[in-house]
Amino acid sequence: MFCPKCGKNVPDNTKFCPGCGADLSLGRRAQNAANKAFDATEKELEGAVREVQRTFNGNNGYAPNGGERLTDDRGLLAYILLSIITCGIYSYYFLYKMAHDVNIACEGDGEETAGLVAFILLSLVTCGIYAWIWYYKLGNRLAANAPRYGMTFQENGTTVLMWLLFGSLLCGIGPFIAMNILIKNSNRICNAYNRQFNL
């Protein structure tokens, strides 16, 4: 392994770096890894809270040049935590904003990602089946529009649907992996859109 402080190559079981004296014990490494994970989660939560504040304050992220900056820093942990805290309300807001941003970034492709009202009503009428169709179509739309921004996505709607259906059998983690795929790909599309239009 390498010392995180000075970069010196040291044996794996070394407790202190012979070069700079930094603590390299297993406990310290675990603490550093946990701190990094907590920092990343905190940044995701701050970004999600800022997005909600912009919406309620009437500032939807419009750039001075009239173009709309799309959210490109969504995260799965913030989605899960804020959905739990708000008893599921944030998850609907999250889907609404994601569909809104994807519709802007992928405008002109002949598709339209249905909004929140259609998502809720059609999911209720079809006993949840429409939600799977919505996720499937969103995954395909993101994959189809990736080349437009000079990217390729390995995952598409079929990957998302398989994780939703069969991933649920793997201790229930499949839907989270499916959502992570959609979040990651929509972030990349929105980031490319923002860069293309200097937003």
Side-chain angles (χ1 to χ4, degrees):
M1 73 176 175
F2 293 93
C3 173
K5 189 171 181 184
C6 69
K8 183 174 178 148
N9 190 1
V10 294
D12 285 342
N13 295 330
T14 305
K15 293 193 179 202
F16 296 96
C17 176
C20 67
D23 185 0
L24 302 177
S25 64
L26 183 59
R28 173 59 71 184
R29 286 186 284 171
Q31 182 181 3
N32 288 342
N35 285 339
K36 284 182 184 176
F38 286 129
D39 288 345
T41 303
E42 186 177 23
K43 286 180 183 174
E44 284 184 20
L45 284 171
E46 286 174 0
V49 169
R50 275 195 308 273
E51 182 181 352
V52 171
Q53 286 174 337
R54 280 195 309 262
T55 300
F56 286 113
N57 290 336
N59 177 5
N60 292 323
Y62 286 93
N65 65 358
E68 183 176 354
R69 177 169 175 73
L70 305 181
T71 305
D72 59 4
D73 61 351
R74 292 183 175 94
L76 182 64
L77 289 175
Y79 168 76
I80 294 170
L81 291 175
L82 289 172
S83 295
I84 291 170
I85 290 169
T86 62
C87 300
I89 295 170
Y90 179 75
S91 63
Y92 289 116
Y93 171 78
F94 188 93
L95 293 177
Y96 162 76
K97 286 297 288 180
M98 183 186 290
H100 172 266
D101 289 354
V102 168
N103 281 331
I104 291 172
C106 301
E107 189 176 6
D109 66 348
E111 297 288 327
E112 181 77 19
T113 300
L116 185 60
V117 174
F119 179 86
I120 293 172
L121 291 178
L122 292 173
S123 294
L124 286 172
V125 170
T126 61
C127 300
I129 294 172
Y130 178 77
W132 293 345
I133 295 169
W134 190 90
Y135 291 125
Y136 169 78
K137 290 175 77 175
L138 180 59
N140 278 341
R141 188 174 188 198
L142 291 169
N145 279 275
R148 175 180 183 175
Y149 293 103
M151 298 180 288
T152 56
F153 296 158
Q154 290 182 336
E155 307 95 349
N156 59 17
T158 304
T159 311
V160 171
L161 190 59
M162 290 299 111
W163 275 113
L164 286 170
L165 295 174
F166 301 113
S168 299
L169 303 174
L170 300 171
C171 302
I173 64 168
F176 296 110
I177 294 174
M179 181 56 78
N180 190 55
I181 290 169
L182 294 175
I183 290 171
K184 178 186 65 143
N185 289 348
S186 68
N187 280 345
R188 291 178 64 193
I189 289 274
C190 291
N191 181 268
Y193 174 90
N194 291 337
R195 281 186 286 111
Q196 180 175 344
F197 295 101
N198 295 317
L199 299 173

